[in-house]
Amino acid sequence: MAHIDEYIEKRTVTMAILLSFDIDGTLEFGEPPGGVTKEMVQRAHDLGFIVGSCSDRALSSQRAIWKQLDVPFAFVKAKHQLGTVKGEFPADAYYHIGDRDTDVQVAEQAEFGFWWDHEAVSEPWLDL
Amino acid sequence: MPRPIPVPDATSKPFWDACNEKRLIVQHCTYCDRKQFPPEPECRECGWHFHLSWLETSGRGTIVGYSVTYESRIQAWHPEQPFNNVIIALEEDPVINFHSNLPGVPVDEVPVGATVEVEFLEVTDGQLIPEWRVVS
Amino acid sequence: MAKETGWERNSDPLGIWEHRGKVAMVGRGHSTTDRRWDGESMDKTLGAYSLVAAQNAMEDAGISPDEVDGIISSAGGQANGQPLGEVWAPRPYFDPPYDSEDGLSHVTAEWLAKQLDLKNVTYMNSHGDTVWNLIGQAAQAIGDGRATVCLVTYPNGNMAGRYHQESSLEASGNAQWSSPWGWGLSGQGFTFDQYCRKYGSNHDRMAPFIVQEHKNGRLWPYSYYALHEPEPFTEEDYLNGRMIAKGLSIFDCDRPVQAAACYVVTTAERAKDMKQKPVYILDHTESAFRPRSLVQTLDDTEEWTDIQAKRAYAGSGLTPDDIDLFSPYDGFAVFTQYFLEAFEWRGVKRGDAHDFYAGDISLEGPNPLNAGGGNMGTGRMRTVFITDSMEQLQGRAGPRQVKGKAEIAVTIGVLPGNAGCLVFSSTPD
């Protein structure tokens, strides 16, 4: 995983970066399953990213998914509430990852950066 | 914004043609003395077509209620989300209702009960559709 | 697949149904419930699931395929005969029996009869309609002597992706009156807006009803949620739902699923020899209305549902006080209140529904509304309304079995503007 080592080496300045994951069509435990794996989410968490989900799933269901991922999460939000994350978690950069036009729309409205699910499988946040 | 454009058919053509002349018309059954909109080949009450004529309306109405669309099934509308969907009841016959997006009125700030007047919006070259603006 | 007409009970004033108590439901069968078909697994097609449901229903009733002489299937699931979900075309078809849409996006009675090798079927019908109307039609056919043991199947499919999306910029036909203004699910929001203004309520007051439906649905083994999202659905979940249209959040819309159900309907006489306790049909009524103008208003909705209630009471000879279990459709959750108030179940009058929801509507209490969980608690299969009504009256609803009396059940669906109503009883009179 030279990619990861490179990232750790490069990341000398600590920047708070928040990653919001959609679930269905994005995470591997979604329905339909997406390409973002437990390992990718775990790695982001371990490297200090603030991770959570923002999905059309009920909040209870989102919490259950995180339990399945077995990764500590900072937040669960309904899709239209993405912007509220900013007030709760001060960070230098905010990104949402999803698979639908609605994801793009909520990311734009909340002024988040956006990656499609298929882009996210290469963990582009590691290049920040 | 490109939005879905009405495609007139034999029954609806007089209505859309009148819109292009900035006139709001509805069908009228002279036998039943009943207005009808949207237009149909026959009067829904008596079932006859030969008593049906077109009647110019006052072009005034009242807002009877509304919703706001946050996620439309119509892809052309996606860039406009969220937008108002307002229902107007015609002044002279409140059973007759029309759609409006109430241009210029902020989303979810629709004045229910307000009086409105028809205006016409060009949605493509040569085709106007009825729209409404609040007058009081 | 011409639509058979003339069987509906929809002429006012209605008298008591001539076959009251002489037709019975006995067996029910379900497939499992998936979110969607993956386009590959041939054992999970809508056809395959319909076969599983039919076999389960026959086994439940304790009958062999040779005893079946009638079969009714909803080819599409909708009243207009169209599939509720998308069609498979233009993608290439598969080897028989999946060499056409039949078995993939819809399932006809003819397809089922062939696959099940039903040799003695003399009555077959596969025009599209919803499950309430199909059972009404089966009841009438059996009462009239056109069949004795009838399978009624109801498949509802969901392919990959999202359905009912509109990409055309040409608004023709009915769409010329709605698409130029982006009208769609806002229709439900508008009627709900009128309701809340007239009676002084708001969307949040729906919460206790939706939460209870999810709770009930988690207790039904075929519910999408019981199978795939078993964690409890809470008031916090509901109140945080994203609005699709004002007055209609994502949790007021049922979730499309891939599933099938089948019922065995027969004569009361024949039912006595079958494996399960008969559930007698006291009445079926049907209704279809059109808005007076462009869109359905609250006035339209209340007028139509009032007529539906009047027909059901006139046709069955019952009063609101006779109904132990009431299961009005909730495919958009706002429908339920219109039906509930029209039927005046438990004395609920116009404008009272949200107060009623705030009371005790649990399975243990006196007002078990939608004891099966409705579509909100089970997914868009529409069949829990029938199955739960049967199981409650048969005393085999397991953890959903209501604590109170379970002798008369009434269910109605799907739309205030187009519905079938069924009155079930644990006794024939």
Side-chain angles (χ1 to χ4, degrees):
Chain A
M1 298 292 280
H3 188 47
I4 308 300
D5 298 339
E6 221 173 85
Y7 168 78
I8 295 168
E9 200 175 307
K10 195 174 70 183
R11 201 171 171 216
T12 48
V13 179
T14 307
M15 247 178 91
I17 301 172
L18 182 143
L19 300 178
S20 154
F21 294 95
D22 169 45
I23 295 175
D24 295 321
T26 299
L27 294 183
E28 67 171 325
F29 294 139
E31 170 48 67
V36 178
T37 62
K38 168 183 159 57
E39 287 69 31
M40 294 174 192
V41 178
Q42 179 77 59
R43 188 153 43 236
H45 171 265
D46 293 349
L47 290 171
F49 290 86
I50 303 164
V51 296
S53 58
C54 178
S55 153
D56 275 335
R57 290 245 186 157
L59 301 180
S60 305
S61 179
Q62 293 192 45
R63 291 187 192 108
I65 289 282
W66 283 103
K67 200 173 172 190
Q68 205 177 349
L69 285 166
D70 197 22
V71 176
F73 63 94
F75 60 91
V76 291
K77 294 285 177 188
K79 262 189 193 168
H80 64 294
Q81 297 169 334
L82 183 60
T84 64
V85 172
K86 280 190 169 172
E88 295 170 30
F89 298 94
D92 300 298
Y94 297 86
Y95 290 88
H96 179 63
I97 297 106
D99 70 319
R100 280 183 46 191
D101 290 347
T102 320
D103 291 295
V104 180
Q105 196 182 339
V106 296
E108 280 173 0
Q109 282 167 358
E111 297 182 333
F112 273 50
F114 179 76
W115 286 299
W116 288 101
D117 55 313
H118 57 83
E119 295 170 327
V121 295
S122 64
E123 298 170 86
W125 44 87
L126 299 182
D127 296 326
L128 294 172
Chain B
M1 176 204 84
R3 67 164 88 189
I5 310 301
V7 179
D9 52 42
T11 306
S12 66
K13 191 169 184 305
F15 175 84
W16 293 116
D17 286 348
C19 285
N20 288 341
E21 296 165 3
K22 299 193 173 181
R23 293 185 302 121
L24 184 70
I25 61 172
V26 295
Q27 284 179 316
H28 179 240
C29 175
T30 51
Y31 181 79
C32 302
D33 190 21
R34 182 183 158 273
K35 295 182 189 66
Q36 183 163 282
F37 180 77
E40 296 187 36
E42 295 95 21
C43 169
R44 280 173 58 179
E45 199 73 30
C46 65
W48 289 341
H49 69 274
F50 42 81
H51 295 299
L52 278 180
S53 60
W54 291 95
L55 191 71
E56 187 151 349
T57 70
S58 64
R60 290 172 67 86
T62 305
I63 297 173
V64 294
Y66 75 102
S67 184
V68 174
T69 295
Y70 292 93
E71 185 173 359
S72 177
R73 288 168 170 173
I74 306 165
Q75 287 170 10
W77 276 94
H78 289 181
E80 299 301 309
Q81 291 167 180
F83 56 88
N84 291 324
N85 278 123
V86 180
I87 296 300
I88 311 294
L90 188 64
E91 184 178 72
E92 57 267 43
D93 186 350
V95 165
I96 302 296
N97 49 39
F98 296 93
H99 289 297
S100 174
N101 300 120
L102 228 50
V105 172
V107 170
D108 208 5
E109 292 181 23
V110 175
V112 175
T115 304
V116 287
E117 227 169 50
V118 74
E119 56 187 14
F120 292 89
L121 179 71
E122 187 166 30
V123 288
T124 189
D125 281 351
Q127 185 60 64
L128 304 185
I129 65 168
E131 254 305 351
W132 301 77
R133 65 183 170 83
V134 178
V135 291
S136 67
Chain C
M1 264 192 0
K3 180 162 181 167
E4 187 177 315
T5 56
W7 61 272
E8 296 95 341
R9 285 175 38 78
N10 56 9
S11 305
D12 302 309
L14 271 181
I16 299 287
W17 186 36
E18 67 270 27
H19 304 304
R20 186 185 195 270
K22 293 174 189 162
V23 179
M25 311 268 295
V26 186
R28 87 287 184 259
H30 288 268
S31 69
T32 191
T33 305
D34 298 331
R35 180 75 170 89
R36 50 175 66 79
W37 183 47
D38 61 10
E40 293 173 5
S41 309
M42 304 318 287
D43 59 340
K44 296 182 174 187
T45 62
L46 206 51
Y49 277 5
S50 298
L51 294 173
V52 168
Q55 280 153 352
N56 286 343
M58 287 188 283
E59 191 181 320
D60 188 49
I63 59 168
S64 74
D66 289 348
E67 292 174 74
V68 174
D69 63 357
I71 182 162
I72 294 180
S73 178
S74 169
Q78 292 291 67
N80 59 11
Q82 297 302 307
L84 193 54
E86 298 292 325
V87 296
W88 179 248
R91 291 164 281 203
Y93 294 117
F94 306 89
D95 292 336
Y98 298 110
D99 50 348
S100 74
E101 289 297 324
D102 208 353
L104 295 175
S105 61
H106 66 260
V107 185
T108 63
E110 290 80 359
W111 190 93
L112 279 166
K114 189 175 173 191
Q115 303 311 315
L116 288 166
D117 196 21
L118 300 178
K119 295 186 177 68
N120 299 316
V121 171
T122 53
Y123 177 78
M124 200 154 9
N125 195 337
S126 48
H127 76 71
D129 226 320
T130 61
V131 67
W132 292 263
N133 295 60
L134 295 181
I135 288 173
Q137 190 166 13
Q140 192 64 43
I142 287 165
D144 291 348
R146 283 178 283 158
T148 306
V149 179
C150 192
L151 297 183
V152 178
T153 56
Y154 192 70
N156 252 333
N158 189 28
M159 305 273 183
R162 307 180 65 213
Y163 64 60
H164 299 170
Q165 299 298 297
E166 180 57 58
S167 60
S168 175
L169 280 176
E170 291 194 343
S172 54
N174 287 337
Q176 69 185 297
W177 309 113
S178 55
S179 295
W181 296 269
W183 184 256
L185 293 183
S186 38
Q188 303 307 331
F190 162 66
T191 321
F192 188 74
D193 175 65
Q194 284 196 302
Y195 179 93
C196 290
R197 284 175 198 285
K198 183 173 179 180
Y199 299 117
S201 194
N202 61 67
H203 180 259
D204 289 356
R205 300 192 69 221
M206 297 281 286
F209 169 57
I210 307 296
V211 169
Q212 186 64 49
E213 283 206 299
H214 275 272
K215 200 173 175 183
N216 297 355
R218 296 296 191 283
L219 301 174
W220 191 51
Y222 301 102
S223 158
Y224 174 80
Y225 297 100
L227 289 163
H228 304 285
E229 287 183 29
E231 55 282 350
F233 181 90
T234 65
E235 186 170 302
E236 181 205 21
D237 292 331
Y238 182 73
L239 297 179
N240 282 285
R242 180 167 67 90
M243 286 290 168
I244 304 301
K246 185 180 182 181
L248 192 80
S249 90
I250 198 162
F251 299 124
D252 297 306
C253 304
D254 51 350
R255 188 177 283 197
V257 296
Q258 170 97 352
C262 182
Y263 301 95
V264 175
V265 188
T266 185
T267 62
E269 207 44 44
R270 183 76 181 75
K272 286 178 190 163
D273 305 327
M274 292 188 185
K275 206 164 106 186
Q276 307 299 340
K277 188 183 165 196
V279 171
Y280 299 92
I281 300 178
L282 298 190
D283 186 40
H284 72 90
T285 48
E286 290 71 28
S287 53
F289 306 100
R290 294 171 58 202
R292 281 172 285 194
S293 182
L294 188 61
V295 300
Q296 177 182 332
T297 62
L298 182 64
D299 283 347
D300 288 328
T301 308
E302 294 188 341
E303 182 185 308
W304 299 340
T305 49
D306 279 345
I307 294 171
Q308 288 160 350
K310 199 173 166 188
R311 284 181 186 168
Y313 289 131
S316 64
L318 300 179
T319 67
D321 290 345
D322 296 319
I323 303 173
D324 302 317
L325 291 130
F326 187 47
S327 302
Y329 188 60
D330 66 340
F332 291 115
V334 295
F335 291 161
T336 304
Q337 66 203 41
Y338 308 134
F339 291 126
L340 171 65
E341 293 172 359
F343 278 73
E344 297 190 356
W345 187 59
R346 297 294 189 260
V348 176
K349 300 274 200 303
R350 289 292 179 200
D352 290 348
H354 296 177
D355 288 338
F356 182 73
Y357 293 165
D360 184 356
I361 54 171
S362 71
L363 298 172
E364 297 76 23
N367 311 314
L369 180 69
N370 279 353
N375 275 23
M376 289 306 132
T378 65
R380 188 182 296 167
M381 61 188 84
R382 294 176 167 170
T383 47
V384 73
F385 297 88
I386 309 298
T387 300
D388 184 68
S389 297
M390 286 177 70
E391 291 181 350
Q392 296 285 354
L393 267 49
Q394 289 170 323
R396 56 167 174 156
R400 293 184 335 281
Q401 189 69 46
V402 296
K403 291 287 176 283
K405 191 155 65 80
E407 292 172 5
I408 299 282
V410 173
T411 178
I412 181 166
V414 291
L415 307 174
N418 192 329
C421 183
L422 299 165
V423 180
F424 298 125
S425 171
S426 57
T427 59
D429 40 26

